Amino acid sequence: MKLKNLLYFAVAAVSVSAFSISCTDSIQLGDGALQKPSSSAITKDTVFSNAEYTRQFHTALYSRMFYGLPYGVDHSNYVLPESNSPYTGMPDALTDCWQLHWVNTNVYGTYYAASLTATGNPLFGYTGEMTWETIHSAYLFLENIESVPGMEQAEKNRLSAEAKCIIASRYFDMFQHYGGLPLVKGTFTGAETSYDAPRASVDSTVIFMTDLLDEAIAAPELPWVVSDPTTQTGRWTRAAAMAMKCKVLQFAASPLFNSSEPYYNGSTEAEQQHLVWYGDYQDSRWQKLRTACEDFFNALAANGYYQLEQAENKTAAGYRLAYRRGYAKQGSKEILLATRHAGIDAFKAGTYAWHQWVNIGRNSYTPTQEYVEMFPWSNGQPFDWDDAQEKYEKTPTHARGLNSMFKRGTVSPRSQMLTNVQLTRDPRLYEEVIVNGQQKFLDWSTGAMSGDIWEMWVGGTDAAQNPVNETNQYATGYCHNKYYMGSGNNGAGDYLRQYTQWVYLSLNEMYLIYAEALAQTGDLAGCLKQMDVVRKRVGLTLNVDGSDPELRTNKEKLINELLNERARELGLQNIRWMDMIRYKRTDWMTKPLHGLRIYRLRQNSSGVYERVEAAWTDGDKATDATSKEPNRFEFEKFELKERRRALWDYENDPNNVFVKKYLLSPFPQGEINKGYGLVQNPGW
């Protein structure tokens, strides 16, 4: 049967909606590149007969690289990957760190209800993400680049290496959702009457991806860093290709695939054909990852350039700014590869749609109490709720009590707001999560914190009744801050009118991938050393008095701490989801999650503290010049009920096959029925 709408479908190139491309003649690139325009017939021969047209065609490939932030729903002019629609939802909302509260998403309506089927819409669709179209276009480029006149061979080699990286990355985007895939190694003519594209094993798929990346890495024309970061940001480099290889090998070596037992029940066709696992466990797969990481860091030592953003001021605010600049700043040397999209926006072109949507609920990815408790105290010691509760009960102002779990300050007779403010937790907490009492502005030049405070207590200016009703962006008593970064102009954020970027590969993640490879190959001390490279950037280290000594001897405990460190450092970047899948952490899928209700305490006329559901910024502060910033609270954990995930019913049975089938997504039943070689994933 024909592989219709998948491997051919007469698509010559991906859409160029994300780019403004100028040329001397009127030429249509993108999905219509080989269609006949009104003025003339444009064919692949025309595209590849002109060096400038060829460059534009190649640039267009980048517009369909994976971009992880929902950014548009306008399908009238462009074909958008389904995952880019806010109506789909981000995979991290399926983990234990975030809960999504917008009812119109697939995450909320399908996944939380555990009602997904092979005829439904997974978060990353097999046919709806422009992956196959991009792969086809990249092969079309590779098959025709040598015939292009007026282009130096060195440029042809460089662009070819980039195209191979794009193919490998698009395969990896699917691989982590589906396992083994059909291996396409060229374009189809459209004249075929049938296709034979059987699903390949995990091993073959991994080799296919890494071979493409090795070919790109070996190309001397592929630079370590782009020659002009201001105009070439986002292009593949040798550094990015080496990092991509590490990500592929990391996923492949993980317990989902690299195990003595398949993840489901062993009886399915996909398991027996090794389409969803290797068929055994081998230490050598972790060693291969370790070698790839060592190759990367040896190349970094030899070539330089990439580095973590560091704090100029060794304060909590300075550490926050360094962390923020690492992923958000245009041209950050921490970023190995970023993808961008512009031209489609919820409100007006060129604005930062992600945080504009927060206030209308589409991006209500509320952090859970479980996530917040992952962040240690500011001295690196783990946060422990029971210990903090005990200290709070003895004295509400204790430095390690619940009343000080986000910040401490001094009540001043000369100021309404607390003075001498100290942040008491890991600085990254305040960049990943908006917490009670956090000031709304962080200066992008100095790191100074200023402005009104976020009032996350019940009845507060910001949270209002949302933590009680479990609604909107404050439903858990917290709000996400990643890619939002504060309040700013009309609630739209301090990054208004800046172009956002999705960090696809980064140096901080590479340190943590290397740490994992070291731990899995028995070098626990080396793992801790690499983790501390990342932690020191925000003034923390695991090698401090009071840290858990078992981390130096207990491999399982260290790896669990490493997975939490990845969540702290790489929040809302699909990393927690990836870790949940590749480590088969169905216990994360099935454990009920919690929020935090905070109640403001105010002294009555008798001097007794009592709860008041009253705002301060828009309340007492505005009407009473003597009113001081609230600094006494009561805290109440609560289990999330709206919307309760159906998989939480399996809290005591996380290895039930109904749960485990969600480790990989279902192929569309319609594609299975076409008979070109797809085998369905277990349980679907």
Side-chain angles (χ1 to χ4, degrees):
M1 297 182 67
K2 286 188 177 182
L3 200 54
K4 186 178 180 182
N5 296 329
L6 181 57
L7 299 179
Y8 179 69
F9 198 52
V11 177
V14 293
S15 170
V16 294
S17 62
F19 297 91
S20 297
I21 298 177
S22 62
C23 56
T24 56
D25 298 322
S26 177
I27 180 171
Q28 181 182 8
L29 298 182
D31 293 345
L34 300 190
Q35 298 173 0
K36 183 178 180 179
S38 58
S39 59
S40 62
I42 302 299
T43 67
K44 73 175 184 180
D45 293 331
T46 303
V47 172
F48 293 107
S49 67
N50 180 288
E52 185 58 29
Y53 292 167
T54 302
R55 294 185 187 103
Q56 293 171 18
F57 184 93
H58 182 274
T59 299
L61 297 175
Y62 280 95
S63 71
R64 290 308 183 198
M65 288 281 294
F66 178 76
Y67 181 84
L69 296 176
Y71 70 89
V73 295
D74 178 9
H75 290 260
S76 59
N77 297 315
Y78 310 107
V79 178
L80 298 179
E82 293 171 358
S83 63
N84 288 143
S85 169
Y87 293 97
T88 298
M90 296 176 67
D92 268 343
L94 303 180
T95 70
D96 56 340
C97 294
W98 294 272
Q99 180 85 346
L100 180 57
H101 297 272
W102 194 42
V103 300
N104 294 322
T105 59
N106 200 21
V107 162
Y108 190 99
T110 300
Y111 278 83
Y112 286 177
S115 60
L116 181 66
T117 68
T119 59
N121 296 312
L123 296 189
F124 191 93
Y126 182 64
T127 58
E129 297 300 320
M130 305 298 292
T131 50
W132 295 111
E133 292 87 341
T134 309
I135 291 165
H136 174 89
S137 299
Y139 276 123
L140 189 66
F141 176 88
L142 290 172
E143 291 166 0
N144 290 276
I145 181 62
E146 291 302 325
S147 65
V148 176
M151 182 182 289
E152 296 291 334
Q153 188 62 45
E155 183 179 4
K156 292 179 180 180
N157 293 346
R158 175 177 62 81
L159 296 180
S160 295
E162 292 178 29
K164 291 175 182 179
C165 291
I166 290 173
I167 294 171
S169 70
R170 293 271 62 189
Y171 259 93
F172 180 70
D173 295 336
M174 293 186 287
F175 178 69
Q176 56 192 343
H177 289 269
Y178 294 98
L181 298 160
L183 303 183
V184 179
K185 300 181 180 180
T187 61
F188 290 79
T189 67
E192 295 88 348
T193 58
S194 65
Y195 297 85
D196 181 24
R199 187 179 175 191
S201 68
V202 165
D203 187 37
S204 295
T205 306
V206 171
I207 291 172
F208 175 73
M209 291 185 286
T210 54
D211 280 353
L212 283 167
L213 292 166
D214 282 340
E215 290 173 17
I217 293 166
E221 295 84 1
L222 189 67
W224 175 252
V225 61
V226 294
S227 58
D228 184 1
T230 61
T231 61
Q232 297 181 337
T233 295
R235 285 193 175 272
W236 282 92
T237 61
R238 184 157 53 92
M242 296 180 77
M244 186 77 249
K245 181 179 178 180
C246 291
K247 287 202 71 165
V248 171
L249 293 176
Q250 177 197 37
F251 205 100
S254 299
L256 178 69
F257 296 146
N258 186 23
S259 175
S260 59
E261 296 181 358
Y263 74 86
Y264 193 67
N265 63 13
S267 67
T268 67
E269 184 179 359
E271 290 169 313
Q272 292 171 359
Q273 293 186 21
H274 299 164
L275 308 180
V276 293
W277 70 313
Y278 274 105
D280 61 10
Y281 172 82
Q282 292 185 19
D283 290 327
S284 61
R285 296 183 183 117
W286 286 113
Q287 184 60 55
K288 186 178 291 187
L289 170 62
R290 178 170 176 170
T291 299
C293 289
E294 290 168 349
D295 289 343
F296 172 85
F297 282 105
N298 287 338
L300 177 62
N303 295 284
Y305 183 78
Y306 301 102
Q307 58 187 9
L308 297 184
E309 292 282 337
Q310 298 294 336
E312 296 176 7
N313 300 312
K314 306 301 182 182
T315 62
Y319 293 135
R320 285 182 58 188
L321 181 58
Y323 174 80
R324 178 181 294 190
R325 284 175 169 173
Y327 78 89
K329 188 178 74 171
Q330 311 300 301
S332 166
K333 291 184 178 181
E334 191 168 317
I335 297 174
L336 303 173
L337 184 71
T339 56
R340 299 183 183 183
H341 281 278
I344 299 176
D345 192 274
F347 291 91
K348 45 189 173 293
T351 56
Y352 193 74
W354 171 252
H355 61 210
Q356 293 238 21
W357 280 342
V358 167
N359 293 331
I360 59 174
R362 289 180 178 177
N363 290 337
S364 297
Y365 292 90
T366 55
T368 64
Q369 182 64 20
E370 283 74 11
Y371 184 44
V372 172
E373 290 188 20
M374 290 182 190
F375 291 87
W377 293 107
S378 58
N379 67 351
Q381 294 182 1
F383 177 86
D384 182 275
W385 175 275
D386 293 335
D387 181 63
Q389 176 70 43
E390 181 181 354
K391 289 178 170 61
Y392 171 79
E393 290 173 351
K394 290 180 178 179
T395 167
T397 58
H398 193 285
R400 291 293 179 266
L402 294 182
N403 225 21
S404 300
M405 66 176 162
F406 301 130
K407 76 174 190 179
R408 287 175 56 80
T410 303
V411 177
S412 169
R414 298 181 180 85
S415 173
Q416 284 187 286
M417 300 186 70
L418 296 180
T419 60
N420 302 319
V421 171
Q422 297 176 328
L423 301 184
T424 57
R425 300 284 288 280
D426 180 339
R428 294 171 297 185
L429 171 63
Y430 309 91
E431 288 299 299
E432 297 286 352
V433 182
I434 291 173
V435 300
N436 188 54
Q438 181 173 331
Q439 287 182 287
K440 293 187 175 181
F441 297 97
L442 186 76
D443 188 281
W444 275 80
S445 299
T446 66
M449 298 179 292
S450 63
D452 293 325
I453 61 171
W454 289 98
E455 298 182 15
M456 308 304 284
W457 63 79
V458 175
T461 296
D462 302 293
Q465 293 298 312
N466 285 291
V468 175
N469 300 324
E470 291 186 51
T471 51
N472 296 324
Q473 70 263 39
Y474 307 114
T476 59
Y478 302 105
C479 181
H480 80 265
N481 206 19
K482 191 69 166 283
Y483 289 105
Y484 178 46
M485 298 178 286
S487 177
N489 186 10
N490 297 321
D494 302 330
Y495 214 50
L496 186 64
R497 307 198 186 287
Q498 300 290 324
Y499 288 100
T500 183
Q501 57 197 358
W502 175 257
V503 179
Y504 193 82
L505 297 165
S506 61
L507 185 58
N508 55 344
E509 184 184 2
M510 279 302 302
Y511 282 115
L512 296 178
I513 291 175
Y514 188 24
E516 184 176 350
L518 291 168
Q520 289 287 6
T521 53
D523 187 357
L524 304 192
C527 171
L528 286 166
K529 181 179 179 180
Q530 296 303 314
M531 290 174 68
D532 274 349
V533 172
V534 172
R535 290 170 67 91
K536 285 177 181 177
R537 188 254 294 275
V538 290
L540 300 174
T541 175
L542 285 169
N543 296 309
V544 297
D545 292 338
S547 62
D548 191 341
E550 280 193 79
L551 295 179
R552 293 156 179 79
T553 57
N554 187 321
K555 176 181 174 181
E556 182 178 356
K557 195 166 189 177
L558 177 58
I559 288 174
N560 191 65
E561 178 64 23
L562 172 61
L563 296 180
N564 288 343
E565 183 67 20
R566 284 167 57 84
R568 292 186 285 260
E569 179 70 20
L570 305 164
L572 215 59
Q573 292 180 216
N574 293 342
I575 298 299
R576 187 65 169 181
W577 164 82
M578 179 186 288
D579 291 347
M580 180 178 73
I581 297 302
R582 63 191 183 88
Y583 271 90
K584 301 187 289 189
R585 293 302 299 263
T586 50
D587 57 319
W588 295 354
M589 291 184 179
T590 56
K591 68 178 179 182
L593 303 175
H594 298 80
L596 183 68
R597 292 192 183 112
I598 303 173
Y599 294 93
R600 175 186 173 187
L601 298 181
R602 185 170 60 188
Q603 282 183 303
N604 60 22
S605 58
S606 301
V608 177
Y609 283 94
E610 58 185 6
R611 290 183 178 182
V612 290
E613 296 186 9
W616 187 64
T617 301
D618 290 348
D620 304 351
K621 180 185 178 186
T623 59
D624 181 2
T626 65
S627 178
K628 304 297 182 182
E629 177 186 335
N631 67 338
R632 294 285 291 272
F633 303 95
E634 285 185 350
F635 305 89
E636 179 183 283
K637 285 187 186 181
F638 67 95
E639 185 176 320
L640 301 181
K641 303 292 186 182
E642 181 57 50
R643 177 173 194 183
R644 193 179 189 279
R645 306 183 199 179
L647 291 185
W648 293 350
D649 291 340
Y650 296 87
E651 180 183 8
N652 298 320
D653 189 18
N655 291 318
N656 189 290
V657 290
F658 182 77
V659 177
K660 290 194 292 185
K661 74 177 183 179
Y662 279 92
L663 289 171
L664 289 179
S665 297
F667 289 99
Q669 190 59 46
E671 292 299 316
I672 300 288
N673 295 342
K674 290 175 182 177
Y676 57 80
L678 275 188
V679 175
Q680 186 59 276
N681 276 331
W684 300 106

